[in-house]
Amino acid sequence: MKILVVGAGATGGYFGARLAQADKDVTFLVRPRRAAALRERGLRLTGQGQDETITPRLVTAGELSGPYDLVLLSVKATALDQALDDIAPAVGPGTAIVPLLNGLAHLRQLNARFGEEAVLGGVARIITTLNGEGDIVRLAPVASLTIGEQKGGPSPRVAAIAAELGDAGIDTQQPADILSAMWSKWVLISTLAGLTCLMRGTTGDVAAVPGGRDFVAALLAESAGVAAAAGHPVPKGELDAVAAMLTKAGSPLTASLYRDVTLGAPTEVEHVFGDLVARARLLSVATPLLDLATLSLRVHEHRTAAG
C-alpha cells in the first residue's frame, strides 16, 4: 500500500516510524518547520527501552500529489480544518482515510468533505509525547490501533489495512462496531483529561489524597453515562480497568490535553469536551463535572488567544 501519515507528532510519528522500519511505502505530510527539524535530526523514538532513529520520507502540503491507498490522519483537532485541505490531493476514488483523533466530531467533517465511504473509524491507544527536541517519547508500553467501517461489520479493505499494519508489527484490532470503540476511547480520554486538568496534577497525585478516588469514580460515571445514553455503553470490565488505571498509586499519568495547558498552548477542549457535553444536553444526561472541566478549559483558551 501507498501510505500517507498526516503529522509526525507523538502518535502519527510513532506508528509511521514502525511502518518505515518495516520498509513500507510510507510518506509523512508535515509542516515546513517540522520537515526541517526531521531532515536535520531524523525521526527519533525514545523511552521504554527504545532509542531509534529513522530517516523519514517527507512532503509538505505544496509538494503533495496522489492518490494514496491509505491516509492515517493523526493531527490534533485544532489543526483538522487545515489538514482537510492539505490531504485533498492525496484522496482518490480508492483511498481509505483512517482518522486517529479523539472524540467523534471529526467524522462529520471528514464525511462531508470526502464522503462517508472513504472514511473509516479509528482509535489509537498509545501514551507518547514530544520532548523539547521534537523526539517521540514513549511513556508506557501500550501501542495499538483499532480500525473499522463506520457502518460496522467486517470488510475486505479493513482486513487488508490491518494486515499491512500488522506486518509492520503494529497491534491492530478490527471490532465489529468501531463507533463503540471510539466512544470507549472518548470516555477514557474525557475522564483522564478532566481529572488532570481540573486537579492540576497526575492521576497518582489525585489518588493519593482524600476524596481523590471518589472524584475519579464520579467523573468516569458521567462520561460513561453519556456513552450509554448515546447507545454505546462501555462494558463494565473496561470501566473497571479504566478506574484501576486512573487510581493507581504513584502513577505519573497525565493527559496530553493537560500537558498542553501547562505549556500555555491551545487545547482540544471543544473536540473532547464541548462536543461531549453538547451531546449530553441533547440526551438529558447531567454532567456537572464535565461541564466544569469544559468551562475551565474554555477560560484557558480565552486567555491563550488573548495572550
Side-chain angles (χ1 to χ4, degrees), residues 180-239:
S180 287
M182 293 174 71
W183 267 102
S184 293
K185 172 72 179 296
W186 200 0
V187 167
L188 166 62
I189 289 298
S190 58
T191 304
L192 172 60
L195 173 68
T196 54
C197 288
L198 284 175
M199 296 297 103
R200 296 294 193 268
T202 67
T203 58
D205 292 332
V206 177
V209 301
R213 291 172 182 267
D214 291 337
F215 183 76
V216 173
L219 191 55
L220 178 58
E222 284 190 10
S223 297
V226 182
H232 298 278
V234 180
K236 184 179 184 302
E238 288 189 30
L239 292 177

Side-chain angles (χ1 to χ4, degrees), residues 125-178:
R125 291 188 179 273
I126 186 169
I127 304 176
T128 50
T129 189
L130 293 182
N131 64 19
E133 295 180 311
D135 302 336
I136 299 168
V137 182
R138 289 189 76 187
L139 304 176
V142 60
S144 68
L145 293 177
T146 302
I147 61 174
E149 300 285 353
Q150 291 187 58
K151 63 181 181 294
S155 77
R157 69 169 174 173
V158 168
I161 293 168
E164 189 82 353
L165 297 172
D167 191 50
I170 298 171
D171 179 12
T172 308
Q173 307 298 317
Q174 305 171 65
D177 183 357
I178 188 63

Side-chain angles (χ1 to χ4, degrees), residues 264-300:
T267 71
E268 296 179 305
V269 55
E270 296 306 330
H271 205 71
V272 174
F273 289 102
D275 188 36
L276 188 60
V277 299
R279 291 173 190 250
R281 297 293 82 77
L282 292 174
L283 296 165
S284 299
V285 178
T287 54
L289 296 177
L290 291 171
D291 293 345
L292 182 61
T294 305
L295 178 61
S296 173
L297 288 165
R298 282 173 173 165
V299 171
H300 167 80

